Amino acid sequence: MKQPLKNDPVECTGNLLAMRDTLEILGGKWKLLILHYLISREKEVNTFKKIQREILGISAKVLTKELKDLEANQLIVREEMPGKPKTVEYSISEYGRSSKEIINFLVEWGKNHRKHLLQA
């Protein structure tokens, strides 16, 4: 592990490490979009095909990987339903709901950023 600089406040290094951890878990093009999708549709049945159809541009391969990562980090729940054909439903976990405030903030920031660029 890299040692903090002598003039670097401990909380700064700790904050940078926390940010890195967050970006590892939530970073990339799709994870926050998937979380936002599942939070916004908590009362709906969300199957793999439905998610892929409604999040435009995501491939089946990438969606599979991102869902596995989110499940491994306990942000979503994967549930295999009985019957044939096999159906898998995805939902936001209780822990995953803790990202709602962050996601809502990012949505608002994104809207404000678009306005800012259009006014420039």
Side-chain angles (χ1 to χ4, degrees):
M1 177 185 244
K2 190 174 181 180
Q3 295 296 318
L5 300 173
K6 289 182 181 176
N7 61 351
D8 185 27
V10 174
E11 68 269 5
C12 181
T13 299
N15 289 342
L16 291 173
L17 291 174
M19 178 64 78
R20 186 175 66 194
D21 292 345
T22 301
L23 291 174
E24 278 185 30
I25 295 166
L26 299 178
K29 185 174 179 180
W30 301 105
K31 285 187 182 89
L32 286 170
L33 294 175
I34 294 166
L35 288 172
H36 180 61
Y37 178 90
L38 291 174
I39 288 169
S40 299
R41 292 161 178 79
E42 275 196 86
K43 302 208 185 306
E44 299 176 20
V45 173
N46 296 299
T47 63
F48 182 92
K49 287 290 185 189
K50 181 181 176 206
I51 296 168
Q52 184 185 13
R53 186 175 53 248
E54 294 187 7
I55 299 179
L56 300 178
I58 193 167
S59 70
K61 181 179 177 180
V62 170
L63 180 57
T64 298
K65 180 197 174 306
E66 299 295 57
L67 289 169
K68 284 181 180 178
D69 288 350
L70 291 168
E71 183 185 14
N73 282 293
Q74 302 177 2
L75 295 167
I76 66 169
V77 175
R78 179 186 187 276
E79 185 177 2
E80 289 188 25
M81 306 309 287
K84 292 191 180 194
K86 183 174 111 177
T87 305
V88 178
E89 293 181 12
Y90 294 91
S91 59
I92 194 76
S93 69
E94 187 66 36
Y95 180 61
R97 283 187 197 94
S98 68
S99 67
K100 185 176 182 175
E101 191 175 336
I102 296 165
I103 291 169
N104 289 340
F105 181 81
L106 289 171
V107 168
E108 287 306 309
W109 189 90
K111 288 177 183 178
N112 291 333
H113 181 65
R114 282 181 180 260
K115 286 179 194 174
H116 174 76
L117 291 178
L118 289 172
Q119 293 171 354

